[in-house]
Amino acid sequence: MLAPVPRPPGSLALRCSRALLSPRSRLSLLALLLLTAASLVVLYQPQRMLASGWPPHTSGAGAVLLFGLAYGVCAAAFVPRPVLNLAAGALFGAAAGLTGALAGTVLGAGIAFTLGRVLGQDALRPLVRGRWLTAADGQLSRHGFRSMLAIRLFPGVPFAAANYCAAVSRMRYVPFLVATALGSLPNTAAYVVAGAQAGSPDSPAFLLSAGFIVLSGLGAAVVAWRKRHGLRAAAPAPAREPGPEPEPVLP
């Protein structure tokens, strides 16, 4: 009679660890984190705390630093960046407000990119199918810096969507962060100046910043319209299924 083969020690723990670290489990964790963050934003509205000068009893560079850190966390948690940029200008003025807002923008983009790359890329990449998704993934993977720079310069794509699309692609960290900083600078500066000059809406600085915001929005619509046709042209045609060749028609 054959003796039963003993199972190797720790096999159950090994199977559990593999299940917990599988792409689907990590994607589920990412979805849970994003859902929790969105719920907290809706319930507590952290943008109101930042706009009222949170954290209290701080001033100078320390206040700008704390604001930038809070800005990054809030931006990663789907708080609208225009609201945060206006608050930065109203609280700290144009120069210091732009510093805190831009630092928070890069931090928030980095947090979202890291979460998407670590928890979602392995599970989502096999799902990148279809002509538009394949073309967008190829554009970000091959021309990541200039593509992300264009996305940030013309604010047509939502901030969070751009972050997670870049994370799922093969784009690298450094080009993503540098393109985010450079591309977000003009629009962020316009909102910060508008917030700093909100008390005098007839001032030249406020009018220029408001005009830039409107023009950048119109430019984003035009670029998105033109890019749509470019993605259609760049997308690979669907492969034909193999089948019997049609018989030639004899005259």
Side-chain angles (χ1 to χ4, degrees), residues 50-246:
L50 294 180
S52 62
W54 184 90
H57 310 298
T58 55
S59 60
V64 175
L65 176 62
L66 291 176
F67 180 88
L69 294 174
Y71 183 117
V73 175
C74 290
F78 310 110
V79 175
R81 287 183 56 249
V83 177
L84 300 176
N85 294 332
L86 292 171
L91 291 174
F92 304 109
L98 178 59
T99 302
L102 192 61
T105 298
V106 176
L107 176 61
I111 292 174
F113 188 89
T114 302
L115 289 175
R117 178 60 55 89
V118 174
L119 299 178
Q121 188 188 44
D122 292 341
L124 291 176
R125 276 208 65 82
L127 303 179
V128 178
R129 297 171 184 171
R131 297 183 65 183
W132 280 44
L133 288 177
T134 303
D137 175 68
Q139 184 74 14
L140 286 172
S141 298
R142 292 191 302 268
H143 311 291
F145 177 81
R146 71 183 187 186
S147 299
M148 186 55 56
L149 185 65
I151 289 173
R152 302 303 193 193
L153 281 173
F154 298 98
V157 180
F159 184 71
N163 296 333
Y164 289 106
C165 286
V168 173
S169 72
R170 295 185 178 91
M171 190 175 182
R172 294 176 297 172
Y173 271 93
V174 174
F176 171 77
L177 294 178
V178 174
T180 296
L182 295 178
S184 302
L185 179 58
N187 199 263
T188 302
Y191 276 99
V192 170
V193 171
Q197 299 294 326
S200 52
D202 56 345
S203 64
F206 182 86
L207 294 176
L208 286 175
S209 61
F212 180 85
I213 292 171
V214 173
L215 290 177
S216 64
L218 294 176
V222 173
V223 171
W225 177 263
R226 297 183 63 181
K227 276 291 183 182
R228 187 185 69 167
H229 297 286
L231 286 176
R232 283 181 176 177
R240 295 182 58 185
E241 295 183 359
E245 294 291 334

Side-chain angles (χ1 to χ4, degrees), residues 12-102:
L12 179 60
L14 182 60
R15 289 197 299 269
C16 291
S17 63
R18 286 179 178 175
L20 291 175
L21 296 177
S22 65
R24 289 186 178 181
S25 297
R26 285 181 287 165
L27 181 61
S28 301
L29 177 59
L30 176 61
L32 179 61
L33 289 175
L34 297 182
L35 180 61
T36 303
S39 302
L40 291 176
V41 167
V42 173
L43 289 175
Y44 295 102
Q45 299 183 349
Q47 66 273 15
R48 291 189 176 183
M49 293 188 294
L50 294 180
S52 62
W54 184 90
H57 310 298
T58 55
S59 60
V64 175
L65 176 62
L66 291 176
F67 180 88
L69 294 174
Y71 183 117
V73 175
C74 290
F78 310 110
V79 175
R81 287 183 56 249
V83 177
L84 300 176
N85 294 332
L86 292 171
L91 291 174
F92 304 109
L98 178 59
T99 302
L102 192 61

